[in-house]
Amino acid sequence: MTHPRHEYAPISLLQVSDDRLLVGGRSLDDLAALAGQTPYYAYDRDAMRRRAEALRIALPPAMRVHYAMKANPMPAVVSHMIDLVDGIDVASAGEMRLALDAGASAATMSFAGPGKRDVELAAAVEAGVTINIESMGELARVAHAGDRVGERPRVAVRVNPDFLLKASRLKMGGGPKQFGIDAEIVPEALESIADLDLHFRGFHIFSGTQNLLPDSLIEAQAATFDLADRLAQSAPSPIETLNIGGGFGIPYFPGDTALDLAPVAEHLAEQLAVHREALGNPEVIVELGRYLVGEAGVYVCSVIDRKVSRGQTFLVTDGGLHHHLAASGNFGQVIRRNFPVVVADRVYGGVRETATVVGPLCTPLDVLANQTELGVAHPGDLIAVLQSGAYGYSASPHAFLSHPPPVELLV
């Protein structure tokens, strides 16, 4: 079926049947009845599985895939992802406990993030989780935590590289950063790891995220392997793991196109052939969050009111930035752009109009879509914000103005 041209990336992982958006094979009206309310988030488990399987097919067989659960820490999602990936990356003791309770293996879990508290470090050491060291001070505190709990800490060095992932929408390395140890002083950190008798596992080198350009990813991955080669010369023991981060983006905005994974995967195979044996045959890990779950989720709200103000149509809904901060443009966007937004049962067809979708909050920031093309909607219709499987529910200020929180469903 040929669909009219849309201003945003086409719907790729979810189904559209009879012009109705489906999640898990069910209409959004059915899911609203299941949730018992709007707003709600719905995540399609089969869409996640298909994305993970396609990734496995594309990547070299030797690559390991880890899920960065900060993208979506819903317990049911984490339980589902554990069966699809080789390990889990967590960013807090709370995430670590959730992942362990869901059945994730501590042996294939890593704990990243600046400012880990002493109690978190002790919990990770006791559980046997690999701690990605973010600073020289944290290194000393990890050793102390190991002494306190009577266990030898498993550590990797998170490296702040001396290069950037070009065209990345969120840069996690290069220049001064709160993340990781600057590459030029990593040899000093490795010497301290040897002196402190810690179990050194390898490196985590992550330069950026949300990138749609294969050439940029390829350039950053080549630099990552070269940097790992140099740093390995100072390692106190053979490298067991090399986490090269991820950076694989998904399309959100007008003009975005889906990442062409083929050249990236081909280049990774070449890099493994050149570098892996020289590094001592470590497990090479690609760590992904948004790419695995982002396109598998939607945020759904109901139209409460329809009004026209000085020639502009506004659809006022029961959802907003308190539930989906990213879609409002207040989670990292410099210039606000619309997420893909559709009327649930008029995705492509029906009479179209230009409307602004807003929430119920008393702030002009509460905009889900500004002057976007939609099927004509009235009170009672459902609005779906696509690409909402990552950094939606958990990254939003639910308590703002004391509205009730959304429900989450995995279907």
Side-chain angles (χ1 to χ4, degrees), residues 43-65:
Y43 313 118
D44 190 319
R45 67 172 68 238
D46 187 62
M48 295 178 189
R49 178 190 59 78
R50 285 184 280 113
R51 171 53 56 87
E53 289 178 352
L55 183 69
R56 295 278 195 191
I57 291 169
L59 291 178
M63 293 288 302
R64 297 292 179 261
V65 177

Side-chain angles (χ1 to χ4, degrees), residues 305-309 312-316 355-358 371:
D305 193 13
R306 175 187 174 92
K307 62 177 287 186
V308 175
S309 174
Q312 288 192 23
T313 298
F314 289 84
L315 301 174
V316 185
T356 294
V357 182
V358 300
Q371 290 289 282

Side-chain angles (χ1 to χ4, degrees), residues 111 113-125 131-149 151 153 155 192 196 198:
F111 182 1
K116 304 179 191 74
R117 293 171 293 135
D118 288 347
V119 66
E120 293 182 299
L121 295 174
V125 171
I131 300 169
N132 290 331
I133 302 296
E134 306 271 353
S135 71
M136 297 297 289
E138 184 173 271
L139 180 56
R141 291 192 298 116
V142 168
H144 182 60
D147 291 339
R148 281 174 29 232
V149 304
E151 297 286 348
V155 301
S192 294
L196 294 168
L198 305 178

Side-chain angles (χ1 to χ4, degrees), residues 35 53 56 63 72 96 114 119 122 147 157 272 281 288 326-327 334 346:
E53 289 178 352
R56 295 278 195 191
M63 293 288 302
N72 188 328
M96 181 179 69
V119 66
D147 291 339
V157 174
L272 289 178
N281 292 309
L288 300 166
V334 177
R346 292 183 286 286

Side-chain angles (χ1 to χ4, degrees), residues 26-316:
R26 302 181 65 171
S27 74
L28 301 191
D29 286 310
D30 285 348
L31 294 178
L34 180 63
Q37 68 164 69
T38 58
Y40 67 86
Y41 279 88
Y43 313 118
D44 190 319
R45 67 172 68 238
D46 187 62
M48 295 178 189
R49 178 190 59 78
R50 285 184 280 113
R51 171 53 56 87
E53 289 178 352
L55 183 69
R56 295 278 195 191
I57 291 169
L59 291 178
M63 293 288 302
R64 297 292 179 261
V65 177
H66 281 203
Y67 174 52
M69 67 175 282
K70 58 182 172 288
N72 188 328
M74 181 192 180
V77 169
V78 175
S79 294
H80 182 53
M81 293 304 300
I82 286 170
D83 294 330
L84 303 178
V85 298
D86 302 301
I88 302 290
D89 178 74
V90 303
S92 70
E95 286 192 352
M96 181 179 69
R97 286 192 296 270
L98 191 158
L100 291 171
D101 288 346
S105 169
T108 57
M109 189 181 302
S110 57
F111 182 1
K116 304 179 191 74
R117 293 171 293 135
D118 288 347
V119 66
E120 293 182 299
L121 295 174
V125 171
E126 194 164 23
V129 170
T130 297
I131 300 169
N132 290 331
I133 302 296
E134 306 271 353
S135 71
M136 297 297 289
E138 184 173 271
L139 180 56
R141 291 192 298 116
V142 168
H144 182 60
D147 291 339
R148 281 174 29 232
V149 304
E151 297 286 348
R152 189 180 185 215
R154 294 156 58 92
V155 301
V157 174
R158 182 171 181 177
V159 181
N160 177 24
D162 49 5
F163 56 85
L164 295 171
L165 174 52
K166 295 176 182 177
S168 170
R169 292 203 175 126
L170 189 60
K171 293 176 173 58
M172 305 292 286
K177 287 287 186 292
Q178 69 266 47
F179 307 110
I181 297 175
D182 294 347
E184 56 270 27
I185 62 172
V186 165
E188 179 185 342
L190 295 172
E191 186 176 338
S192 294
I193 287 171
D195 292 342
L196 294 168
D197 192 31
L198 305 178
H199 178 174
F200 172 69
R201 302 211 62 222
F203 299 113
H204 181 196
I205 306 175
F206 186 20
S207 56
T209 187
Q210 185 45 24
N211 196 297
L212 296 170
L213 301 179
D215 287 349
S216 293
L217 288 166
I218 287 169
E219 182 180 340
Q221 288 164 357
T224 295
F225 278 98
D226 287 343
L227 178 57
D229 279 349
R230 297 198 307 272
L231 296 178
Q233 298 173 21
S234 303
S237 58
I239 296 172
E240 299 173 16
T241 63
L242 172 60
N243 185 329
I244 64 170
F248 298 4
I250 64 173
Y252 285 103
F253 308 120
D256 282 356
T257 55
L259 172 66
D260 182 0
L261 196 56
V264 178
E266 181 180 353
H267 177 259
L268 281 172
E270 295 169 357
Q271 292 294 309
L272 289 178
V274 171
H275 295 278
R276 189 162 177 249
E277 186 174 351
L279 289 168
N281 292 309
E283 283 194 346
V284 180
I285 298 164
V286 59
E287 178 191 310
L288 300 166
R290 185 195 318 266
Y291 187 77
L292 291 171
V293 299
E295 291 173 85
V298 297
Y299 172 66
V300 182
C301 51
S302 296
V303 177
I304 302 298
D305 193 13
R306 175 187 174 92
K307 62 177 287 186
V308 175
S309 174
R310 297 192 171 117
Q312 288 192 23
T313 298
F314 289 84
L315 301 174
V316 185

